[in-house]
Amino acid sequence: QVQVAESGGGLVQVGGSLRLSCTHSVSFFDQYAMGWFRQAPGREREAVACIDWSGRTTYYQDSVKGRFTITKYNDNKTMNLQMDNLKPEDTAVYYCGVDRAQYGGANYVCKNFDVGHWGQGTQVTVSS
């Protein structure tokens, strides 16, 4: 049974920062692209940011460019999402996703929701 574990959500004021972390138990962690997706109440799940298997190429949704940074540390088997200058519209449940196949690209995972394994989700609430 593959496990995907997220951490780091919480409540923060407008303009504040949070860092989300994710790890998973799929064999050969360093061969899989990963991403963060979010779902706000009454809305469909959307891609926020993705990173390719090597950690060198990234994709960001336009609304988070310049505010969010995704990183992948293969040695530590961790992927992070640093979220700065948070806005109320960033409020959502954030899900970590692991690519369906090996050696995937960041753009492909985010634009095609090419996720084979999902985490349980972590709540991020930005208060105004």
Side-chain angles (χ1 to χ4, degrees), residues 25-47:
S25 63
V26 178
S27 298
F28 307 111
F29 180 94
D30 60 350
Q31 296 178 5
Y32 287 86
M34 298 174 69
W36 289 98
F37 302 77
R38 67 187 180 188
Q39 187 165 17
R43 302 190 65 176
E44 293 186 354
R45 191 172 297 190
E46 62 179 3

Side-chain angles (χ1 to χ4, degrees), residues 7 13 19 21 41-42 48 66-67 76 87-88 90 95 97 102 109:
S7 62
Q13 291 187 333
R19 188 176 73 171
S21 295
V48 176
R67 300 189 297 121
N76 293 336
K87 303 177 180 180
D90 294 318
Y95 296 91
Q102 294 166 294
V109 173

Side-chain angles (χ1 to χ4, degrees), residues 1-125:
Q1 183 80 10
V2 171
Q3 293 183 331
V4 181
E6 304 116 331
S7 62
L11 173 65
V12 65
Q13 291 187 333
V14 169
S17 298
L18 282 174
R19 188 176 73 171
L20 306 182
S21 295
C22 176
T23 189
H24 64 77
S25 63
V26 178
S27 298
F28 307 111
F29 180 94
D30 60 350
Q31 296 178 5
Y32 287 86
M34 298 174 69
W36 289 98
F37 302 77
R38 67 187 180 188
Q39 187 165 17
R43 302 190 65 176
E44 293 186 354
R45 191 172 297 190
E46 62 179 3
V48 176
C50 291
I51 191 163
D52 80 330
W53 62 275
S54 71
R56 290 193 289 265
T57 305
T58 58
Y59 166 92
Y60 294 96
Q61 181 195 104
D62 285 347
S63 70
V64 307
K65 286 180 180 177
R67 300 189 297 121
F68 291 11
T69 304
I70 188 170
T71 51
K72 187 172 183 275
Y73 300 102
N74 287 329
D75 289 348
N76 293 336
K77 296 186 177 181
T78 300
M79 178 191 66
N80 296 327
L81 184 69
Q82 178 66 38
M83 304 185 293
D84 298 318
N85 191 21
L86 282 160
K87 303 177 180 180
E89 52 264 41
D90 294 318
T91 295
V93 177
Y94 283 69
Y95 296 91
C96 174
V98 181
D99 196 1
R100 193 183 309 276
Q102 294 166 294
Y103 302 117
N107 283 9
Y108 189 85
V109 173
C110 263
K111 290 184 177 180
N112 294 281
F113 270 63
D114 191 48
V115 174
H117 306 283
W118 291 100
Q120 297 281 349
T122 184
Q123 177 70 45
V124 171
T125 303

